Amino acid sequence: MKKISFVIPCYNSEHTVGDVVAEIGRNFDGNDRYEYEIVLVNDGSPKDDTLGTIRRLSRENTHVRAVNLTKNFGQDSALMAGYSVAEGEYIISLDDDGQNPASESWKLLDKLEEGWDVVFGKYHVKKHSRLKNFGSMVNDKMATLLLDKPKELRLCSYFAMHRFVAEQILKDRNASPYIWGLMLRTTHNMTNVYIEHRERQEGESNFTFSKSLKVWMNGFIAFSVKPLRVSTVIGCLIALLGFVYGIYVVIKKIFFYEPEIGWSSMMVAFLLIGGIILIMLGLLGEYIGRMNISVNNTPQFIIRDIENGKTKEDGTAERNEITKEDGNTKEDEADE
């Protein structure tokens, strides 16, 4: 019997993640096709007791593993941490807010069984906020333009993939991982399946403009040199424009004896060209800065401990202490 790993990054979800776990249990307990585990990754939640909640769930439910990161590394890094401890042949990623019905996982799994490497959910009607919908649209367009994503494919945070895809993703050592980019770099054998989407159970989305901007930058810079090529093209066009205008000025001076005036127009041109140069230098600086971060072996995530959802003879929970050093993990068992 194949095993499924549900990997769920958790951030300020004390009141919702329990319902997500319970719903997965209702849909998969007792089925004759798959074993399953649920990997809950606490991404340094600062505002509530998410950590205490997922630890309690791991003690009450032997299918649950509670992974605790040392700080907030971001959703994609939390997913990478979850993939590093997941044991399933199939891995399903979903959100912690209850908007992804667990019953829809069967559609993703059935599609995987047809031979696809990755299957993304595709919503009939999205119930996200306008900001998150806008961010998703920009990410989708960016992936098509810069990462060679098939135009008909729609990316989504609710997806299922084969184990070998996760193993390839985990080979990446970039300090700011971009899961969708890593998938597209691994395979194009991807497809969509229509699934339902629910309203958020409570609270507001943690998806902010600054976080969406960070995701866009990761996609732009970590997986493509096309922005640099676009900068080169813009620079060449401006240089060509300046050269043509210079010829025009010389011809006008020689044949028509008209003096060139226009201090304001010259200042506008200087400011425009200077602004473009600074933008290009900033873009180049982003590339160099990320190279420096990678050279310094900045970790994608650091796992403080894992509670396995198994109990010992004395009734205490089994926990592994794990630290990440130079991209590798070492495990030492410790009592709670």
Side-chain angles (χ1 to χ4, degrees):
M1 186 180 290
K2 293 180 179 178
K3 187 173 184 177
I4 309 168
S5 294
F6 291 90
V7 177
I8 306 174
C10 303
Y11 186 77
N12 295 337
S13 55
E14 175 186 0
H15 302 295
T16 58
V17 67
D19 293 335
V20 175
V21 170
E23 186 179 13
I24 292 174
R26 289 194 299 270
N27 282 273
F28 284 86
D29 281 342
N31 82 90
D32 58 359
R33 291 177 57 186
Y34 304 107
E35 299 178 52
Y36 75 95
E37 67 173 356
I38 304 172
V39 181
L40 304 177
V41 184
N42 174 47
D43 190 21
S45 302
K47 296 180 181 180
D48 63 9
D49 190 28
T50 297
L51 176 59
T53 299
I54 67 172
R55 281 181 171 170
R56 175 180 57 79
L57 291 169
S58 74
R59 297 186 186 108
E60 297 173 351
N61 188 336
T62 57
H63 293 287
V64 176
R65 305 176 72 186
V67 179
N68 181 31
L69 303 187
T70 57
K71 66 173 187 175
N72 176 240
F73 286 90
Q75 182 173 4
D76 284 31
S77 291
L79 286 171
M80 294 286 277
Y83 299 156
S84 72
V85 302
E87 299 175 348
E89 295 177 58
Y90 294 152
I91 296 176
I92 299 177
S93 298
L94 66 158
D95 295 333
D96 60 347
D97 54 14
Q99 290 190 267
N100 303 138
S103 58
E104 301 295 80
S105 297
W106 288 106
K107 297 179 182 178
L108 303 178
L109 292 168
D110 289 341
K111 209 68 177 176
L112 277 182
E113 295 284 8
E114 294 179 9
W116 298 96
D117 295 332
V118 182
V119 180
F120 288 97
K122 186 177 182 180
Y123 301 128
H124 290 287
V125 179
K126 297 180 71 172
K127 304 295 180 66
H128 289 312
S129 65
R130 291 183 179 180
L131 175 61
K132 192 165 185 178
N133 286 336
F134 174 74
S136 298
M137 180 192 70
V138 172
N139 272 327
D140 189 83
K141 298 295 184 184
M142 179 189 67
T144 301
L145 292 173
L146 300 181
L147 306 180
D148 298 322
K149 178 187 74 68
K151 291 183 179 180
E152 67 278 4
L153 182 69
R154 290 292 177 268
L155 303 178
C156 174
S157 61
Y158 195 4
F159 58 86
M161 61 182 169
H162 275 273
R163 177 77 194 175
F164 89 88
V165 177
E167 290 174 348
Q168 294 301 313
I169 287 174
L170 288 170
K171 291 180 180 179
D172 180 71
R173 289 292 178 263
N174 192 312
S176 300
Y178 181 54
I179 296 295
W180 292 344
L182 291 170
M183 287 180 174
L184 289 167
R185 192 169 67 183
T186 300
T187 178
H188 276 182
N189 187 29
M190 304 178 177
T191 191
N192 287 116
V193 62
Y194 275 105
I195 60 175
E196 299 300 323
H197 196 223
R198 293 189 297 227
E199 295 284 353
R200 189 177 180 87
Q201 292 184 18
E202 70 168 53
E204 297 180 355
S205 173
N206 294 307
F207 188 84
T208 62
F209 179 76
S210 60
K211 289 184 178 180
S212 65
L213 185 62
K214 182 179 179 180
V215 172
W216 298 339
M217 291 300 293
N218 286 342
F220 265 112
I221 295 173
F223 292 90
S224 177
V225 296
K226 288 183 180 179
L228 290 178
R229 292 172 180 169
V230 170
S231 298
T232 301
V233 171
I234 292 175
C236 291
L237 290 176
I238 292 176
L240 179 62
L241 182 63
F243 180 73
V244 171
Y245 184 71
I247 294 176
Y248 166 75
V249 170
V250 170
I251 292 176
K252 191 173 182 181
K253 179 71 173 179
I254 294 176
F255 294 99
F256 299 98
Y257 303 100
E258 294 184 12
E260 284 297 316
I261 58 176
W263 182 86
S264 298
S265 60
M266 290 184 63
M267 287 302 299
V268 169
F270 287 149
L271 291 173
L272 175 63
I273 295 173
I276 292 174
I277 291 173
L278 289 175
I279 290 173
M280 293 178 180
L281 287 175
L283 182 61
L284 185 60
E286 279 287 335
Y287 277 94
I288 295 174
R290 287 170 184 267
M291 289 172 59
N292 180 59
I293 291 173
S294 296
V295 168
N296 289 333
N297 293 322
T298 302
Q300 296 171 340
F301 58 86
I302 301 175
I303 299 176
R304 187 184 300 279
D305 57 65
I306 300 175
E307 198 158 304
N308 286 326
K310 302 174 183 177
T311 55
K312 302 177 183 178
E313 293 181 359
D314 61 1
T316 59
E318 183 176 307
R319 183 181 298 174
N320 290 337
E321 300 292 338
I322 295 182
T323 56
K324 182 169 183 177
E325 296 180 355
D326 299 327
N328 300 314
T329 59
K330 64 178 184 180
E331 299 188 20
D332 301 300
E333 289 189 0
D335 291 346
E336 180 185 345

